[in-house]
Amino acid sequence: MSLTTFRPSAPERTAKGASPERDSAAKVTVPSLLDKKLSRQPITVVTAYDYASARLVDEVGLDVILVGDSLAMVMQGHENTLAITMDEMLLYTRGVRRAVRRALLVSDMPFGSYHVDDREGVANALRFVKEAGAEAVKVEGGRERTALVRRIVDAQVPVMGHLGLTPQSVHRMGGYKVQGKTLAAIEDLRADALALEDAGCFAIVLEGVPRELAKMVTAELHIPTIGIGAGPDCDGQVLVLHDMMTMTFSPPAKFVRRYADVSTVMREALGNYKHDVETRDFPSDAESYHLSQETRDRLAALAEKAG
Ligand code: KIV
């Protein structure tokens, strides 16, 4: 399957329900994100895991859609991100790909897909592009990943780095804890960030680190930093869609801003539907299909004949 498979064809573009204005907005690319850093325009990133939500994100005009492995938690109910597989990530990415025209589509490489050796990591990165239409991949880790990053970039797949609170290291970190709080940890993270930039990453997610550290790293790098729980001085911000929409079931982390209460909207709607079905209010006659008058007359005549 080639990448062209994922470009919407002309009939799709003009199909009912398509938004022609989406086509006129400039496509977000790796170079255009670098331009945004240079011109100090904030980069907007959000996760999405399915066609409908990705389509909304794209229509609203956010820069980057990340098919994050957080989907293991928010879509599949796992306790952490470790269980999700390559095949599952590819499946979700394909659904998102069908929705996205403008945003840059980045997929998370899942735990285990790049940890055995670099050769397997490169092969899996290529699968995201060839089999699911991703335009870039994200890997967690610092200096220990630079050889891998170089090889993936050599294979023409752009790589986003991810430092700080890296959820795939939950067991090593002993839980989801803010990282980079000591002088030694600050130095480590700065060295990791510079090494990832040198290896060819086009952007780095900084997760769960003090604002001061994120600001320092953002100033030092030529590539954009994308913060999540890293304060306002990063070049861009990312949130998990389900967190910002209140589609999660435990108290949010400090950095999450709730932009909508979708759970409440859905609960009310589902309760109303249940009530309407149970009271036979739904569906109404107007919400039903009907036979033509001619067919009804014929049926009536047949019934009369049959006695
Ligand atoms: O998996 C994910 O959603 C992420 C973001 C939180 C950056 O890695």
Side-chain angles (χ1 to χ4, degrees):
M1 204 181 291
S2 81
L3 188 56
T4 52
T5 312
F6 299 98
R7 295 216 181 97
S9 61
E12 270 182 293
R13 284 169 188 233
T14 50
K16 193 174 161 225
S19 309
E21 65 274 15
R22 277 208 296 163
D23 290 334
S24 58
K27 173 81 184 84
V28 179
T29 60
V30 164
S32 74
L33 292 179
L34 297 173
D35 288 345
K36 274 200 141 184
K37 170 155 181 140
L38 285 176
S39 57
R40 297 181 182 281
Q41 294 174 68
I43 297 168
T44 52
V45 186
V46 73
T47 66
Y49 317 103
D50 65 289
Y51 177 86
S53 55
R55 182 150 178 164
L56 292 174
V57 172
D58 198 52
E59 288 187 3
V60 169
L62 278 82
D63 294 315
V64 179
I65 295 184
L66 172 66
V67 184
D69 61 357
S70 50
L71 78 83
M73 298 168 79
V74 299
M75 296 285 286
Q76 298 185 328
H78 288 290
E79 171 183 346
N80 56 45
T81 61
L82 305 182
I84 190 120
T85 65
M86 267 304 295
D87 285 343
E88 288 171 311
M89 287 300 301
L90 290 169
L91 182 78
Y92 284 95
T93 301
R94 282 185 204 113
V96 170
R97 176 70 279 170
R98 287 190 278 270
V100 176
R101 294 186 189 158
R102 178 183 173 273
L104 186 81
L105 175 49
V106 183
S107 280
D108 244 338
M109 295 199 61
F111 181 61
S113 69
Y114 57 99
H115 300 78
V116 176
D117 60 43
D118 292 352
R119 191 182 158 84
E120 190 176 84
V122 177
N124 282 327
L126 290 170
R127 286 191 73 193
F128 275 108
V129 177
K130 291 174 75 76
E131 297 178 34
E135 293 162 298
V137 296
K138 177 164 80 57
V139 298
E140 296 185 6
R143 279 160 288 178
E144 72 280 20
R145 299 281 170 249
T146 51
L148 170 70
V149 169
R150 280 182 211 285
R151 289 195 56 181
I152 299 177
V153 173
D154 274 355
Q156 309 307 308
V157 180
V159 180
M160 180 180 266
H162 187 157
L163 293 172
L165 193 170
T166 45
Q168 292 177 7
S169 315
V170 59
H171 297 315
R172 183 181 54 71
M173 293 183 300
Y176 297 117
K177 297 173 182 167
V178 175
Q179 303 292 304
K181 294 209 292 192
T182 63
L183 288 183
I186 290 168
E187 269 325 301
D188 256 2
L189 195 139
R190 287 174 68 190
D192 282 339
L194 289 168
L196 287 178
E197 173 172 278
D198 190 52
C201 281
F202 72 93
I204 299 179
V205 169
L206 296 177
E207 178 166 358
V209 297
R211 173 179 180 174
E212 296 77 10
L213 173 54
K215 185 175 181 179
M216 231 186 296
V217 171
T218 301
E220 272 176 315
L221 295 184
H222 298 96
I223 56 172
T225 58
I226 309 295
I228 174 163
D233 306 301
C234 296
D235 297 303
Q237 297 292 330
V238 57
L239 279 177
V240 169
L241 188 77
H242 289 58
D243 285 341
M244 63 185 285
M245 297 298 176
T246 320
M247 291 278 285
T248 51
F249 299 88
S250 45
K254 177 182 182 173
F255 60 81
V256 171
R257 188 178 290 183
R258 302 289 208 189
Y259 283 88
D261 188 352
V262 172
S263 293
T264 300
V265 171
M266 284 186 74
R267 276 183 212 281
E268 274 174 24
L270 291 165
N272 290 341
Y273 169 65
K274 178 174 182 286
H275 171 269
D276 290 352
V277 171
E278 286 172 352
T279 58
R280 298 195 184 282
D281 179 67
F282 176 82
S284 67
D285 187 58
E287 288 161 326
S288 308
Y289 296 109
H290 291 280
L291 291 171
S292 67
Q293 189 58 51
E294 188 195 347
T295 309
R296 272 191 276 168
D297 291 346
R298 282 176 160 191
L299 270 179
L302 281 174
E304 206 174 302
K305 229 184 196 177

